[in-house]
Amino acid sequence: MADFSKYEAVIGLEIHAQLATNSKLFCGDNTSFGAEPNTHISPITMGHPGTLPKTNAKAVEYAIKMGIACESVIEKNNYFARKNYFYPDLPKGYQISQHTTPICVGGRVAIQLNGKTSYVQLNRIHLEEDAGKSIHDISPTDSCIDLNRAGTPLIEIVTEPCIHSAEEAFLYVTEVRKLVRWLGVCDGNMEEGSLRCDANISVRLKGASELGTKVEVKNLNSIRNIKKAIEFEIDRLIKLVDAGEPIIQQTRSFDANNDSTFAIRDKEDANDYRYFPDPDLAPFHLTENYIDSIKSTLPLLPNQLKQIWKTSLGLSDYDVDQITENKEEADFYALWIQSTKHYKAAVNWMLGPIREYLNESGKSYQDISNSIEQLNELLELVESNQLSFSNATGKVFKGIIGTNTKAIDFATTNQLIQNNSTDVIAEWVDQVLAANPDKVTEYKKGKKGLIGLFVGEVKKISKGQADPKITTQLLEQKLAQ
Ligand code: ADP
Ligand code: MG
């Protein structure tokens, strides 16, 4: 049995994120997902002789946005290089990538690990084009090639070997996905391959400074699979090292059917790609002004918003985490608090009835952005005790959302306005006590829990109009006599 506590895992992740541009990195071909195979291709994508690629400025802008959000240094002098290799889905025989000048250098991504903020250090973020797809499950005898994806812009986000557990890797990828979506630079859709991850994993004795031999698990297409693959590899590598077996530097693949990995190839020595600057693409220089202009378009990031809302609105960690889960939700909240002071109540409404309504109706926050006035009226009715929270969220909200009806009108028509006149409630209380003499005796003998039953009865005969607080007070007074 291997002594796992003697070892430390070291993990570095490479995430490929497809940039959400309409066209490809070096030509105008459409980048949308799911088109008929080989319809989004042009002579440039196909690498025909005599064609000239041209850099997509939007892709450069998106890469810079991500770099700024990750606190990277933006490289001003950039060029694209050809990375030469043969592969059936690579029509040009080379991939255009960045080599010695990644557009973003260094940087870091904050994660919440065991209740504390820690940082995953980035090595770089570089721009490159995607390859096409080989499809092996259409024909029993042939492999099919779909080149629609070839030339789609990617950023590759590469961490330092600084991650030490599957959990940490999981949190990091979750954060990166949230960030690219927040910035709108990638849709973050892992099933469609917009975000893919390669995990490099090694183990070493705790305290050792040299890195162990790594294996690389390729093309992990869900966050769950990333976690499972890393867990499996750490276990496998520690057992090997502990048994004195050598680790072979390998490329491996994940088998989701049994949560294990298998070797695809032993890693031949790197650097046989014959990189050289692409002679068809001019180097490009980014000015300070240009970088600043992109900086100024960046939205507040989730962590910045969390801080602001925690300190200025007094919200809890839990509430700000929830409300900054995605940008649509945060934007809606930001809009809402421009017209209400009930900050915490608005969070409760968003996390409860509003999320439920959007899930059920398939609507988006955008769709309800003009319902804020109605929501404010509802909040006021609840805060002023005219409407119970359960009637407000259950009946009134559902009854008026998406219509022009005012909350007060709907609540009045449906007799949901609470009657807070003590006289009226006192009458209901008397009726209930008179109708339940046995229970009253039991209560007076000490069965104080019956108060809930009396309150419930008053609620029933008042059709929910009696304010529960006043009801309870009156009941206690009368039962004490
Ligand atoms: P390659 O040339 O094989 O792609 P790189 O040096 O570019 O390797 O690193 C790729 C990723 O692997 C980076 O995220 C890096 O941090 C990580 N990495 C490199 N060496 C190790 C190692 N020994 N153990 C774990 N991760 C590693
Ligand atoms: Mg690699």
Side-chain angles (χ1 to χ4, degrees):
M1 213 10 219
D3 180 2
F4 283 80
S5 66
K6 280 196 328 205
Y7 297 94
E8 172 186 60
V10 178
I11 302 152
L13 297 179
E14 298 161 281
I15 295 181
H16 287 95
Q18 246 175 43
L19 297 176
T21 54
N22 294 326
S23 56
K24 292 187 180 175
L25 186 51
F26 300 111
C27 67
D29 290 348
N30 191 316
T31 53
S32 59
F33 181 80
E36 273 291 296
N38 300 308
T39 54
H40 292 170
I41 54 174
S42 63
I44 297 182
T45 290
M46 301 302 289
H48 286 185
T51 53
L52 273 181
K54 218 173 116 192
T55 306
N56 182 338
K58 203 77 191 165
V60 174
E61 179 191 323
Y62 283 179
I64 296 172
K65 275 192 172 172
M66 187 61 180
I68 294 171
C70 297
E71 303 173 54
S72 309
V73 173
I74 307 301
E75 171 65 60
K76 297 218 175 79
N77 296 305
N78 289 266
Y79 74 93
F80 282 106
R82 290 188 182 179
K83 180 178 179 181
N84 297 283
Y85 64 100
F86 172 78
Y87 210 74
D89 60 20
L90 188 72
K92 298 196 289 281
Y94 58 86
Q95 178 195 26
I96 305 179
S97 182
Q98 291 189 300
H99 187 216
T100 55
T101 61
I103 189 158
C104 312
V105 181
R108 60 182 192 169
V109 172
I111 55 170
Q112 297 302 318
L113 185 63
N114 304 324
K116 275 198 252 136
T117 302
S118 70
Y119 293 92
V120 172
Q121 301 296 328
L122 299 187
N123 173 283
R124 66 178 186 274
I125 301 174
H126 67 257
L127 270 164
E128 62 184 29
E129 59 177 348
D130 209 345
K133 254 187 235 170
S134 303
I135 305 163
H136 307 289
D137 55 6
I138 292 181
S139 152
T141 50
D142 299 301
S143 286
C144 301
I145 306 281
D146 175 8
L147 294 173
N148 282 349
R149 202 180 63 183
T152 298
L154 301 175
I155 44 174
E156 183 174 337
I157 308 160
V158 184
T159 73
E160 294 293 348
C162 64
I163 298 169
H164 297 291
S165 68
E167 173 69 13
E168 207 180 334
F170 171 88
L171 292 170
Y172 164 73
V173 180
T174 306
E175 198 58 33
V176 168
R177 183 175 60 176
K178 179 168 155 182
L179 212 47
V180 292
R181 284 180 168 161
W182 192 277
L183 297 169
V185 301
C186 166
D187 67 25
N189 194 331
M190 296 189 86
E191 297 89 74
E192 291 178 2
S194 308
L195 204 71
R196 316 189 284 272
C197 180
D198 302 338
N200 298 269
I201 304 144
S202 64
V203 297
R204 63 182 173 193
L205 279 171
K206 269 187 192 156
S209 54
E210 262 179 48
L211 292 170
T213 305
K214 68 168 178 156
V215 293
E216 178 170 6
V217 188
K218 281 276 191 201
N219 283 327
L220 294 160
N221 62 359
S222 80
I223 295 189
R224 175 195 174 276
N225 290 355
I226 294 169
K227 196 167 174 215
K228 290 281 171 197
I230 293 174
E231 278 165 0
F232 180 86
E233 273 311 304
I234 293 175
D235 184 82
R236 188 182 72 87
L237 293 175
I238 289 180
K239 283 179 182 155
L240 280 176
V241 173
D242 203 65
E245 307 265 348
I247 305 245
I248 308 164
Q249 188 171 344
Q250 266 175 344
T251 303
R252 300 176 71 89
S253 189
F254 182 68
D255 179 356
N257 292 322
N258 52 24
D259 290 343
S260 63
T261 70
F262 57 94
I264 346 181
R265 56 179 179 269
D266 289 355
K267 186 128 184 170
E268 59 291 351
D269 248 359
N271 287 339
D272 50 2
Y273 291 121
R274 311 275 162 142
Y275 281 100
F276 66 89
D278 193 306
D280 289 339
L281 285 160
F284 59 102
H285 178 81
L286 304 171
T287 63
E288 196 77 43
N289 273 348
Y290 176 67
I291 297 169
D292 283 346
S293 74
I294 294 175
K295 215 177 260 176
S296 69
T297 66
L298 230 59
L300 282 172
L301 300 175
N303 288 336
Q304 296 170 320
L305 265 185
K306 275 188 210 173
Q307 268 317 318
I308 294 173
W309 285 345
K310 255 171 67 175
T311 42
S312 67
L313 310 181
L315 297 179
S316 68
D317 280 323
Y318 176 82
D319 283 345
V320 289
D321 276 352
Q322 288 287 318
I323 222 83
T324 57
E325 201 43 54
N326 63 66
K327 183 134 188 313
E328 292 70 36
E329 206 158 26
D331 283 347
F332 185 81
Y333 186 69
L335 182 68
W336 193 355
I337 57 175
Q338 287 176 15
S339 61
T340 185
K341 292 272 177 291
H342 301 302
Y343 306 126
K344 168 66 180 154
V347 173
N348 294 345
W349 271 83
M350 285 186 61
L351 304 189
I354 295 180
R355 272 191 187 171
E356 189 185 314
Y357 169 74
L358 296 180
N359 276 340
E360 279 168 10
S361 65
K363 293 207 161 100
S364 68
Y365 282 100
Q366 200 94 46
D367 296 329
I368 59 163
S369 60
N370 49 14
S371 306
I372 285 184
E373 206 180 308
Q374 279 180 323
L375 286 166
N376 283 335
E377 287 164 12
L378 265 173
L379 242 66
E380 286 302 335
L381 288 173
V382 175
E383 293 298 315
S384 62
N385 270 329
Q386 290 174 267
L387 188 60
S388 69
F389 183 71
S390 68
N391 276 339
T393 55
K395 296 190 178 139
V396 187
F397 173 67
K398 291 199 174 113
I400 64 173
I401 187 88
T403 72
N404 292 324
T405 314
K406 281 180 154 318
I408 184 75
D409 294 341
F410 185 93
T412 310
T413 313
N414 291 279
Q415 296 187 323
L416 298 169
I417 292 298
Q418 292 186 140
N419 199 321
N420 297 319
S421 140
T422 315
D423 292 348
V424 182
I425 297 178
E427 254 171 60
W428 285 320
V429 166
D430 287 341
Q431 277 178 38
V432 165
L433 295 181
N436 296 282
D438 298 351
K439 298 277 187 251
V440 170
T441 315
E442 281 180 51
Y443 179 93
K444 289 188 171 169
K445 280 188 186 153
K447 215 168 162 192
K448 300 289 185 226
L450 284 169
I451 192 85
L453 178 133
F454 296 130
V455 175
E457 287 298 304
V458 174
K459 188 175 173 194
K460 220 184 280 168
I461 63 168
S462 73
K463 300 202 178 67
Q465 293 179 51
D467 177 77
K469 262 189 240 147
I470 302 177
T471 307
T472 310
Q473 273 168 13
L474 287 172
L475 275 165
E476 279 168 356
Q477 278 167 22
K478 290 182 190 269
L479 284 163
Q481 285 163 10

